[in-house]
Amino acid sequence: MSKEGSQRVRVGLKIRPLNEKETNEGAQNILKVKQNRKTVHCTVPSKQNNFNFDWAFDSDESQAQVYNDLSGPLLDSLFDGINATILACKF
């Protein structure tokens, strides 16, 4: 990550896997990460939309992959003296 490119807010999304209760009830994930790994598509017919991010991770991707692609480079920039914040929330 270059110093010039790190002067903006970047947003990444990881879709969480369905929990046991949701799986037992037959729930399905309504979000799909497109092949470019930056666009998330909502599959609900009445609300079909695409949402764009700097990074998008599907529910089957590991936390290690999220760290390697997103957090690792950000932490490298932090050690180079660039301000950085990682905010994680779970819904």
Side-chain angles (χ1 to χ4, degrees):
M1 206 181 283
S2 71
K3 288 187 179 189
E4 296 141 15
S6 60
Q7 298 300 318
R8 63 183 183 92
V9 173
R10 296 181 184 183
V11 178
L13 170 81
K14 181 179 186 299
I15 299 170
R16 71 167 177 80
L18 297 175
N19 62 35
E20 185 178 350
K21 180 181 180 219
E22 292 165 332
T23 302
N24 290 340
E25 291 174 351
Q28 295 181 352
N29 202 328
I30 62 167
L31 299 175
K32 302 288 182 207
V33 175
K34 292 200 171 184
Q35 204 167 24
N36 67 5
R37 295 191 59 195
K38 293 181 181 239
T39 304
V40 175
H41 177 71
C42 178
T43 61
V44 175
S46 63
K47 298 182 182 190
Q48 285 190 357
N49 283 312
N50 289 322
F51 302 94
N52 295 311
F53 300 91
D54 294 295
W55 299 272
F57 301 92
D58 220 333
S59 60
D60 60 351
E61 294 191 68
S62 70
Q63 290 301 100
Q65 185 67 45
V66 174
Y67 175 84
N68 289 335
D69 290 355
L70 180 80
S71 304
L74 186 61
L75 289 174
D76 290 342
S77 294
L78 177 69
F79 293 125
D80 286 339
I82 305 218
N83 292 331
T85 301
I86 298 173
L87 174 66
C89 55
K90 182 179 176 182
F91 293 99

